[in-house]
Amino acid sequence: MSTTTPQKIKVATIWIDGCSGCHMSFLDIDERLIDLVQHIDLLYSPLVDMKEIPAELDLTLVEGAVSNEHDLERVVALRKASKFMIALGDCAVTGNVPSMRNPIGLKPCFDRAYQEMADIVVNDPADGDPGIPALLEMAKPVHEVVTVDLFVQGCPPPADAIFYVLSELIAGRVPDPTLLTRFGA
Ligand code: SF4
């Protein structure tokens, strides 16, 4: 996936407030990944080592809801860099599991997590802990913070659906993921 050719589509994937299940489903494409890499350069992703968001991308797939300031910063940067953005999976499409905290509010969530459930492990800044990005008041689906071009529902979307979507985009067609997906499955 490291050889760049002018014909290849420059792709990024990002995993924000999600469980990694959507990326696991992407990997479940299995041997068909070999077909995809004939057409795709995966430049930025949890699956590769690149740390900086590339300046120009053709396509970005976003897994997860936008829940903290770091999520927001990266989604906005990827949107600026990408010609086409896909919300991949129910957390990105609707907020899904991460948004369950929304009706509760931040303070009760913090009280539960950091007081009632507190442990005795204290991170030492001297260990290089960069700190935790501040949570947004609400966990949001991706389209509430940037424009999304295509929604691929499912928790996670099936590997066949992800392969279909990518294959159609490679062929220059706009896919209809609803043929192969449904919310919650
Ligand atoms: S949509 Fe489902 S599989 Fe994907 S990140 Fe959310 S909880 Fe995980």
Side-chain angles (χ1 to χ4, degrees):
M1 294 189 181
S2 62
T3 304
T4 302
T5 64
Q7 295 79 24
K8 288 192 172 183
I9 296 173
K10 290 179 269 190
V11 175
T13 76
I14 186 173
W15 160 18
I16 44 177
D17 197 359
C19 72
S20 87
C22 293
H23 272 78
M24 294 303 107
S25 196
F26 176 66
L27 291 178
D28 278 345
I29 289 173
D30 291 334
E31 72 279 3
R32 291 171 293 176
L33 285 168
I34 295 168
D35 298 332
L36 288 180
V37 295
Q38 310 304 314
H39 305 281
I40 282 175
D41 255 340
L42 190 58
L43 297 180
Y44 178 87
S45 169
L47 307 173
V48 300
D49 196 36
M50 173 71 79
K51 302 290 189 294
E52 302 294 328
I53 292 175
E56 289 188 12
L57 291 160
D58 296 304
L59 170 64
T60 294
L61 295 96
V62 182
E63 169 188 330
V66 183
S67 289
N68 65 37
E69 290 179 353
H70 192 223
D71 298 340
L72 180 60
E73 189 182 297
R74 288 191 296 161
V75 165
V76 168
L78 281 163
R79 178 67 269 189
K80 280 187 186 153
S82 300
K83 293 181 185 142
F84 200 90
M85 179 169 274
I86 294 176
L88 180 69
D90 289 352
C91 294
V93 174
T94 68
N96 199 30
V97 177
S99 67
M100 288 178 180
R101 71 169 167 85
N102 291 351
I104 299 168
L106 273 188
K107 185 168 184 324
C109 287
F110 281 132
D111 288 349
R112 178 72 174 158
Y114 296 108
Q115 293 188 20
E116 297 163 37
M117 306 293 287
D119 61 27
I120 58 170
V121 177
V122 179
N123 286 331
D124 184 348
D127 294 337
D129 178 2
I132 299 170
L135 281 179
L136 301 177
E137 192 66 34
M138 306 278 258
K140 299 176 182 179
V142 176
H143 69 273
E144 286 196 13
V145 299
V146 293
T147 301
V148 169
D149 300 298
L150 191 72
F151 297 87
V152 183
Q153 64 203 22
C155 182
D160 285 348
I162 299 172
F163 180 72
Y164 159 74
V165 164
L166 292 175
S167 299
E168 288 295 285
L169 289 172
I170 288 167
R173 297 184 289 265
V174 177
D176 178 3
T178 61
L179 298 172
L180 295 171
T181 58
R182 63 190 173 94
F183 283 109

